[in-house]
Amino acid sequence: MSPETAKSLETKTKLLQGALRTLTEQGIAKTSARSIAATAGVNQALVFYHFGSVDELLAAACRYGTEQRVERYRDRLDRIGSLTELLTFGREMHEEEKAAGHVAVLGQLLAGAQTNPPLAPATAAGLDTWIAEIEKVLTRVLAQTPFGEFADPTGLARAVAASFVGIELYEGVDQAGATAALDALEQLGALVAALEDLGPVAQRAVRHHLRRTTRR
């Protein structure tokens, strides 16, 4: 790799990280080429040289940030063996991400995507990266339960992601309400775990009932 290429990659990484920090610290309303460059410690013109526009930089930063966060948790996701463990992990990850400022970034990107169309596809792609990881876990753990043949892991993964996104945004205006929502999800996980602990005769009865219900 030539020194010029290495320098270019280093600058791009600084800009991507600078964009994420600017979103966290200043909000999307104050995120501009000038503020991002100042945070990254580079010349403002490099924003346009490397990314073409602020919107394209923010879209790239969304993808970059998501890939970094998913990579951080991938091993833990691969070790999850039940829906209860997934919900417990989700709560722990939520606290870690909030403390690191990444919840704020997601909130700013979602807010910006409402009025700035170029941000919408990148934000959706970032969420899809998370959804793909959650879907893999759900496919694995639901196969071990009476619900395996009836559940839709793809749809459930989107529902789980949407729930946590909603809770993250809700938390900013109602901390107690967001905590109650997380508690409710854990209670749901406990109910599923109780069904998983049923003996084979009871599990067959559950499957039989579900088959009858889904045929209607």
Side-chain angles (χ1 to χ4, degrees):
M1 181 181 294
S2 68
E4 292 79 15
T5 303
K7 180 69 173 178
S8 176
L9 290 174
E10 180 184 1
T11 300
K12 285 184 177 180
T13 300
K14 285 182 178 179
L15 286 167
L16 292 168
Q17 293 172 345
L20 294 173
R21 280 184 55 201
T22 303
L23 284 169
T24 302
E25 297 168 2
Q26 301 184 43
I28 197 161
K30 295 184 179 179
T31 297
S32 63
R34 183 187 297 276
S35 60
I36 293 171
T39 301
V42 300
N43 189 290
Q44 178 179 335
L46 293 173
V47 170
F48 304 99
Y49 177 78
H50 288 290
F51 294 96
S53 69
V54 174
D55 286 345
E56 288 299 321
L57 170 54
L58 290 177
C62 177
R63 292 188 292 269
Y64 170 82
T66 302
E67 289 165 2
Q68 294 289 309
R69 304 318 296 170
V70 169
E71 184 60 32
R72 172 182 174 84
Y73 296 112
R74 185 167 280 124
D75 286 346
R76 289 170 64 184
L77 285 165
D78 288 343
R79 293 196 299 271
I80 289 173
S82 70
L83 185 60
T84 302
E85 288 179 20
L86 176 60
L87 292 170
T88 299
F89 162 77
R91 190 159 197 168
E92 292 172 356
M93 185 189 72
H94 168 75
E95 294 301 322
E96 291 177 21
E97 293 294 282
K98 181 175 68 174
H102 298 290
V103 170
V105 169
L106 177 60
Q108 292 298 320
L109 287 169
L110 286 168
Q114 304 305 308
T115 56
N116 192 349
L119 284 182
T123 306
L127 289 172
D128 281 345
T129 302
W130 278 113
I131 289 166
E133 294 299 321
I134 297 169
E135 182 181 348
K136 286 193 295 185
V137 177
L138 286 172
T139 299
R140 183 173 70 249
V141 302
L142 288 173
Q144 307 167 31
T145 74
F147 311 107
E149 65 183 277
F150 310 100
D152 172 16
T154 302
L156 283 173
R158 292 190 178 280
V160 169
S163 296
F164 275 96
V165 167
I167 289 169
E168 287 169 357
L169 297 177
Y170 185 34
E171 192 170 39
V173 295
D174 185 355
Q175 175 77 48
T179 299
L182 287 168
D183 289 342
L185 285 174
E186 287 191 357
Q187 290 167 4
L188 177 61
L191 289 173
V192 173
L195 287 172
E196 290 175 4
D197 291 337
L198 294 175
V201 174
Q203 287 200 9
R204 281 198 297 273
V206 171
R207 288 191 180 93
H208 178 68
H209 177 74
L210 288 172
R211 289 190 187 103
R212 291 180 59 191
T213 302
T214 54
R215 289 195 195 106
R216 293 175 185 173

